[in-house]
Amino acid sequence: MVKTKKKKSKKQKRTIKNRYEAKKYIEILNLAYKQITSSWHDIFDKDDYLLLPYIKQGIKKGWKILHNKNIIKEIKCNSLCMTMAILNSTLGNRKNLEQLNPVQQLYLFFISYLVDDSNLSKKEVTLKHAIHKIDIRIMKEKQKLEKYEKKKDNRNIKKCNKYIEKQESSKKQLIESNGLNKEGVWSAFKLDVCNSIDCEYLHEYKMEKGKKWNESYSKFCLNITELFKGIVWLNMYMIFNRTTKIKGLSPYMNRIELDILIRDAFFYQDIILIPDSYIYQSELFYNNHTVDQAKKKTVNDPSYYPLDKKYWVYNINSKYGTLDKMKVCNLQNKHYVAAFLSIPYDSHWKSPSEVKEKEQYVKFQKFLQGKNPQPILKEIYKSTRKIGDEEKFDLQENIENSITLHWIYIHKDQLSHYIGEYV
């Protein structure tokens, strides 16, 4: 008798499909974690597949954020700015979400959680989470105290004991006032999406669904920064090596060599340079003709409030292959990679301002003309960095001969307001 194969129901088919899709993302997250920590240990397993709906929702939200002209893309929990802005631009230029591979999609998922949110920054964690933060501070300080006691370092022993006493007092103050007296302990209530405790607070509803949910979201929150930086590392590896093959990638690879001339990047990325206030005001940076002098006048007009001034930026002139001044209002209606100029000078900081301005002008003219030394994005590399009281895994970018301070991904409509606020 031939056994007939039982047909799977729609629910069973959907479950199989979801498990396959979840497995794909879980494996990449495990790889990302191992890349940034140089570990061979997986943190997620098959029981964490219940994260799939959250991941898929985050990917869709991240795609919308990336294309939302009202949101300035400044991603928290990282030390990269130029390479992150270029990554945002690279993904933002894709026409639809389906064009992105799973590693790129997971980057969008992290964007949905880590992008600077003015509404979220106004929120505070609960009393329970604030006390948990203080308990963590006390525990870590006690660990430091043990080390100092072994070394008989009396100076640092005294410091540690004083800090522990202060935290114990703050904790007692909060408990006795039921969280109403926050004097001196506001920092414990401040919401930081990069902090594992605050991450758990933001996912509290999901974590209370049951033991499995709690375990999966705890794994995510406890390793939030490592997972994100690992995903960034994988994306950078794929972009700059022009490959999608990441399986078997050694976690001991510590740097990605780039050697990108920043001036050349203007020809294949939508990049603009935002002058600082000294450049906007300096006569040296304006030619002695009507158009340039008009730009100087409108950007420095005292009758305008800073947010209402007619700002200009440096943008590529595709016709002549030069970097020219362009009014923000004349830029194309799209997103740009924007870099804030910060041109160094060689003189002593107490030197007259005209001497420093002259040196900055000469250096910038060399940049515009393509003369050496040119700013070069040399590499991205793994490192560890002290964040708060902890040594954390991090990514750094090495820009030689830099003339910029910060890079963001921003829509033209937000530029004038942003410049008026920060320049």
Side-chain angles (χ1 to χ4, degrees), residues 290-339:
T290 308
V291 175
D292 238 28
Q293 289 301 311
K295 286 188 176 80
K296 181 176 184 289
K297 184 179 178 182
T298 54
V299 83
N300 292 296
D301 192 332
S303 65
Y304 286 107
Y305 288 109
L307 298 180
D308 296 326
K309 289 184 177 181
K310 307 298 179 185
Y311 293 102
W312 55 265
V313 294
Y314 287 101
N315 186 227
I316 191 73
N317 185 325
S318 54
K319 186 177 180 181
Y320 299 105
T322 56
L323 285 168
D324 298 335
K325 297 184 190 75
M326 182 177 285
K327 286 185 178 179
V328 170
C329 60
N330 293 333
L331 290 170
Q332 292 183 46
N333 187 38
K334 59 182 180 181
H335 278 83
Y336 288 88
V337 173

Coordinates of all heavy atoms in Angstrom, one line a residue, residues 290-339:
T290 N 30.4 89.9 -8.5 CA 29.1 90.2 -8.0 C 28.4 89.0 -7.3 O 27.8 89.1 -6.3 CB 28.2 90.7 -9.1 OG1 28.9 91.8 -9.7 CG2 26.8 91.2 -8.6
V291 N 28.4 87.8 -8.0 CA 27.7 86.6 -7.6 C 28.2 86.2 -6.2 O 27.4 85.9 -5.3 CB 27.8 85.5 -8.6 CG1 27.1 84.2 -8.1 CG2 27.1 85.9 -9.9
D292 N 29.5 86.1 -6.1 CA 30.1 85.6 -4.8 C 29.9 86.6 -3.7 O 29.6 86.2 -2.6 CB 31.6 85.3 -5.0 CG 32.0 83.9 -4.7 OD1 31.2 83.0 -4.9 OD2 33.2 83.7 -4.3
Q293 N 30.0 87.9 -4.0 CA 29.8 88.9 -2.9 C 28.3 88.9 -2.5 O 28.1 89.2 -1.3 CB 30.2 90.2 -3.4 CG 31.7 90.4 -3.6 CD 32.5 90.2 -2.3 OE1 32.1 90.8 -1.3 NE2 33.5 89.4 -2.3
A294 N 27.4 88.6 -3.4 CA 26.0 88.5 -3.1 C 25.8 87.3 -2.1 O 25.0 87.4 -1.2 CB 25.2 88.3 -4.3
K295 N 26.5 86.2 -2.3 CA 26.4 85.0 -1.5 C 26.9 85.4 0.0 O 26.3 85.0 1.0 CB 27.2 83.9 -2.0 CG 26.5 83.2 -3.2 CD 27.3 81.9 -3.5 CE 26.6 81.1 -4.7 NZ 26.9 81.6 -6.0
K296 N 28.0 86.1 0.0 CA 28.5 86.5 1.3 C 27.6 87.5 2.0 O 27.4 87.3 3.2 CB 29.9 87.3 1.1 CG 30.5 87.7 2.4 CD 31.9 88.3 2.1 CE 32.6 88.7 3.3 NZ 32.0 89.8 4.0
K297 N 26.9 88.3 1.3 CA 26.0 89.3 1.9 C 24.8 88.6 2.5 O 24.4 88.9 3.6 CB 25.6 90.4 0.9 CG 24.8 91.5 1.5 CD 24.4 92.5 0.4 CE 23.5 93.6 1.0 NZ 23.1 94.6 0.0
T298 N 24.2 87.7 1.7 CA 23.0 87.1 2.2 C 23.2 86.1 3.4 O 22.3 86.0 4.2 CB 22.3 86.3 1.0 OG1 23.2 85.4 0.5 CG2 21.8 87.2 -0.1
V299 N 24.4 85.5 3.4 CA 24.6 84.5 4.5 C 25.0 85.3 5.8 O 24.9 84.7 6.9 CB 25.7 83.5 4.1 CG1 27.1 84.0 4.3 CG2 25.5 82.2 4.9
N300 N 25.5 86.5 5.7 CA 25.9 87.3 6.8 C 25.0 88.5 7.1 O 25.4 89.3 8.0 CB 27.4 87.8 6.6 CG 28.4 86.6 6.6 OD1 28.5 85.9 7.6 ND2 29.0 86.4 5.4
D301 N 23.9 88.5 6.5 CA 23.0 89.7 6.7 C 22.4 89.7 8.2 O 21.8 88.7 8.6 CB 21.8 89.5 5.8 CG 20.9 90.8 5.7 OD1 20.9 91.5 6.7 OD2 20.3 91.0 4.7
P302 N 22.8 90.7 8.9 CA 22.4 90.7 10.4 C 20.9 90.9 10.6 O 20.4 90.7 11.7 CB 23.1 92.0 10.9 CG 23.4 92.8 9.7 CD 23.6 91.9 8.5
S303 N 20.1 91.3 9.5 CA 18.7 91.5 9.7 C 18.0 90.1 9.7 O 16.8 90.0 10.0 CB 18.2 92.3 8.5 OG 18.3 91.7 7.3
Y304 N 18.7 89.0 9.3 CA 18.1 87.7 9.3 C 18.4 87.0 10.6 O 19.5 87.1 11.1 CB 18.6 86.9 8.1 CG 18.0 87.2 6.7 CD1 18.8 87.9 5.8 CD2 16.7 86.9 6.4 CE1 18.3 88.2 4.6 CE2 16.2 87.2 5.2 CZ 17.0 87.9 4.2 OH 16.5 88.2 3.0
Y305 N 17.5 86.2 11.1 CA 17.8 85.3 12.2 C 18.6 84.1 11.6 O 18.5 83.8 10.4 CB 16.5 84.7 12.8 CG 15.7 85.7 13.6 CD1 14.5 86.3 13.2 CD2 16.2 86.2 14.9 CE1 13.9 87.2 13.9 CE2 15.6 87.1 15.6 CZ 14.4 87.6 15.2 OH 13.7 88.6 15.9
P306 N 19.4 83.4 12.4 CA 20.3 82.3 11.9 C 19.5 81.3 11.1 O 20.0 80.8 10.1 CB 20.9 81.7 13.1 CG 20.9 82.9 14.1 CD 19.7 83.7 13.8
L307 N 18.3 81.0 11.5 CA 17.5 79.9 10.8 C 16.9 80.4 9.5 O 16.3 79.6 8.8 CB 16.4 79.4 11.8 CG 16.9 78.7 13.1 CD1 15.8 78.2 13.9 CD2 17.9 77.6 12.7
D308 N 16.9 81.7 9.3 CA 16.3 82.3 8.1 C 17.3 82.8 7.1 O 17.0 83.3 6.0 CB 15.4 83.5 8.5 CG 14.2 83.1 9.3 OD1 13.7 82.0 9.1 OD2 13.9 83.9 10.2
K309 N 18.6 82.6 7.3 CA 19.6 83.1 6.4 C 19.7 82.2 5.2 O 19.3 81.1 5.2 CB 21.0 83.1 7.1 CG 21.1 84.2 8.2 CD 22.5 84.3 8.8 CE 22.6 85.4 9.8 NZ 24.0 85.5 10.4
K310 N 20.2 82.8 4.1 CA 20.3 82.1 2.8 C 21.7 81.5 2.7 O 22.7 82.1 2.2 CB 20.1 83.1 1.6 CG 18.8 84.0 1.7 CD 17.6 83.1 1.7 CE 16.3 84.0 1.8 NZ 15.1 83.1 1.9
Y311 N 21.8 80.3 3.2 CA 23.1 79.6 3.2 C 23.5 79.0 1.9 O 22.6 78.7 1.1 CB 23.0 78.5 4.3 CG 22.9 79.0 5.7 CD1 21.7 79.0 6.4 CD2 24.0 79.5 6.4 CE1 21.6 79.4 7.7 CE2 23.9 80.0 7.7 CZ 22.7 80.0 8.3 OH 22.6 80.5 9.6
W312 N 24.8 78.8 1.7 CA 25.3 78.1 0.6 C 26.2 77.0 1.0 O 26.7 77.0 2.2 CB 26.0 79.1 -0.4 CG 27.2 79.8 0.3 CD1 27.1 81.1 0.8 CD2 28.5 79.4 0.5 NE1 28.3 81.5 1.3 CE2 29.2 80.4 1.2 CE3 29.2 78.2 0.2 CZ2 30.5 80.4 1.5 CZ3 30.5 78.1 0.5 CH2 31.2 79.2 1.2
V313 N 26.5 76.0 0.1 CA 27.4 74.9 0.4 C 28.3 74.7 -0.8 O 28.0 75.2 -1.8 CB 26.6 73.6 0.7 CG1 25.8 73.8 2.0 CG2 25.7 73.2 -0.4
Y314 N 29.3 73.9 -0.6 CA 30.1 73.5 -1.7 C 29.5 72.2 -2.3 O 29.3 71.2 -1.6 CB 31.6 73.2 -1.3 CG 32.4 74.4 -1.0 CD1 32.6 74.9 0.3 CD2 32.9 75.2 -2.0 CE1 33.3 76.0 0.6 CE2 33.6 76.4 -1.7 CZ 33.8 76.8 -0.4 OH 34.5 77.9 -0.2
N315 N 29.3 72.2 -3.7 CA 28.7 71.1 -4.4 C 29.5 70.9 -5.7 O 30.0 71.8 -6.3 CB 27.2 71.3 -4.6 CG 26.5 70.2 -5.2 OD1 25.7 70.3 -6.1 ND2 26.7 69.0 -4.7
I316 N 29.4 69.7 -6.2 CA 30.1 69.4 -7.4 C 29.4 70.0 -8.6 O 28.2 70.0 -8.8 CB 30.2 67.8 -7.7 CG1 31.2 67.5 -8.8 CG2 28.9 67.2 -7.9 CD1 32.6 67.7 -8.5
N317 N 30.2 70.7 -9.5 CA 29.7 71.2 -10.7 C 30.0 70.2 -11.8 O 31.2 70.1 -12.3 CB 30.4 72.6 -11.0 CG 29.9 73.2 -12.3 OD1 29.5 72.6 -13.3 ND2 29.8 74.6 -12.3
S318 N 29.0 69.4 -12.1 CA 29.3 68.2 -13.0 C 29.7 68.7 -14.4 O 30.4 67.9 -15.1 CB 28.0 67.4 -13.2 OG 26.9 68.2 -13.5
K319 N 29.4 69.9 -14.8 CA 29.7 70.4 -16.2 C 31.3 70.6 -16.3 O 31.9 70.3 -17.3 CB 29.0 71.7 -16.5 CG 29.2 72.2 -17.9 CD 28.4 73.4 -18.2 CE 28.6 73.9 -19.6 NZ 27.8 75.2 -19.8
Y320 N 31.8 71.2 -15.2 CA 33.2 71.5 -15.2 C 34.1 70.7 -14.3 O 35.3 70.8 -14.3 CB 33.4 73.0 -14.8 CG 32.7 74.0 -15.8 CD1 31.6 74.6 -15.4 CD2 33.2 74.2 -17.0 CE1 30.9 75.5 -16.2 CE2 32.6 75.1 -17.9 CZ 31.4 75.8 -17.5 OH 30.8 76.6 -18.3
G321 N 33.5 69.8 -13.5 CA 34.2 68.9 -12.6 C 34.9 69.7 -11.5 O 35.9 69.3 -11.0
T322 N 34.2 70.8 -11.1 CA 34.8 71.6 -10.0 C 33.8 71.6 -8.8 O 32.7 71.3 -8.9 CB 35.0 73.0 -10.5 OG1 33.8 73.5 -11.0 CG2 36.1 73.0 -11.6
L323 N 34.4 72.0 -7.6 CA 33.6 72.2 -6.4 C 33.3 73.6 -6.3 O 34.2 74.4 -6.1 CB 34.3 71.6 -5.2 CG 34.3 70.1 -5.1 CD1 35.3 69.7 -4.0 CD2 33.0 69.5 -4.8
D324 N 32.0 74.0 -6.4 CA 31.6 75.4 -6.4 C 30.6 75.7 -5.3 O 29.9 74.8 -4.8 CB 31.0 75.8 -7.8 CG 32.0 75.6 -8.9 OD1 33.2 75.7 -8.7 OD2 31.5 75.4 -10.1
K325 N 30.5 77.0 -5.0 CA 29.5 77.4 -4.0 C 28.1 77.3 -4.7 O 27.9 77.7 -5.8 CB 29.7 78.8 -3.6 CG 31.0 79.1 -2.8 CD 31.0 80.5 -2.4 CE 32.4 80.9 -1.8 NZ 33.4 81.1 -2.9
M326 N 27.1 76.8 -3.9 CA 25.8 76.7 -4.4 C 24.8 77.0 -3.3 O 25.0 76.5 -2.2 CB 25.5 75.3 -5.0 CG 24.0 75.2 -5.6 SD 23.7 73.6 -6.4 CE 24.6 73.8 -7.9
K327 N 23.8 77.9 -3.6 CA 22.8 78.1 -2.6 C 22.0 76.9 -2.3 O 21.7 76.1 -3.2 CB 21.9 79.3 -3.0 CG 22.5 80.6 -3.0 CD 21.5 81.7 -3.4 CE 22.1 83.1 -3.4 NZ 21.1 84.1 -3.8
V328 N 21.7 76.7 -1.0 CA 20.9 75.5 -0.6 C 19.6 75.4 -1.4 O 19.2 74.3 -1.8 CB 20.7 75.5 0.9 CG1 19.7 74.4 1.3 CG2 22.0 75.3 1.7
C329 N 19.0 76.5 -1.6 CA 17.7 76.5 -2.3 C 17.8 76.1 -3.7 O 16.8 75.7 -4.4 CB 17.1 77.9 -2.2 SG 18.1 79.2 -3.0
N330 N 19.1 76.1 -4.3 CA 19.3 75.7 -5.7 C 19.7 74.2 -5.8 O 19.9 73.7 -7.0 CB 20.3 76.6 -6.4 CG 19.8 78.0 -6.5 OD1 18.6 78.3 -6.6 ND2 20.7 79.0 -6.6
L331 N 19.9 73.5 -4.7 CA 20.2 72.1 -4.8 C 19.1 71.3 -5.3 O 17.9 71.7 -5.2 CB 20.6 71.6 -3.4 CG 22.0 72.1 -2.8 CD1 22.0 71.7 -1.3 CD2 23.1 71.6 -3.6
Q332 N 19.4 70.1 -5.8 CA 18.3 69.2 -6.3 C 17.5 68.7 -5.1 O 18.0 68.6 -3.9 CB 18.9 68.0 -7.0 CG 19.5 68.4 -8.4 CD 20.0 67.2 -9.1 OE1 19.3 66.2 -9.2 NE2 21.2 67.3 -9.6
N333 N 16.3 68.4 -5.3 CA 15.3 68.0 -4.2 C 15.6 66.5 -3.9 O 14.9 65.6 -4.3 CB 13.9 68.2 -4.7 CG 12.9 67.9 -3.6 OD1 13.1 68.2 -2.4 ND2 11.8 67.3 -3.9
K334 N 16.6 66.2 -3.1 CA 17.0 64.9 -2.7 C 17.9 64.9 -1.5 O 18.2 65.9 -0.9 CB 17.7 64.2 -3.9 CG 19.0 64.9 -4.3 CD 19.6 64.1 -5.5 CE 20.9 64.8 -6.0 NZ 21.5 64.1 -7.1
H335 N 18.2 63.7 -1.0 CA 19.2 63.5 0.1 C 20.6 63.7 -0.3 O 21.0 63.4 -1.5 CB 19.0 62.1 0.7 CG 17.9 61.9 1.7 ND1 16.6 61.7 1.2 CD2 17.8 62.0 3.0 CE1 15.8 61.6 2.3 NE2 16.5 61.8 3.4
Y336 N 21.4 64.2 0.6 CA 22.8 64.4 0.4 C 23.7 63.8 1.6 O 23.2 63.8 2.7 CB 23.2 65.9 0.2 CG 22.7 66.5 -1.1 CD1 21.4 67.0 -1.1 CD2 23.5 66.5 -2.2 CE1 20.9 67.6 -2.3 CE2 23.0 67.1 -3.4 CZ 21.7 67.6 -3.4 OH 21.3 68.2 -4.6
V337 N 24.9 63.4 1.2 CA 25.9 63.2 2.3 C 26.5 64.5 2.5 O 27.1 65.1 1.6 CB 27.0 62.2 1.8 CG1 28.1 62.0 2.8 CG2 26.3 60.8 1.5
A338 N 26.4 65.0 3.8 CA 26.8 66.4 4.1 C 28.0 66.3 5.1 O 27.8 65.6 6.1 CB 25.7 67.2 4.7
A339 N 29.0 67.0 4.8 CA 30.2 67.0 5.7 C 30.4 68.4 6.2 O 30.4 69.4 5.4 CB 31.5 66.5 5.0

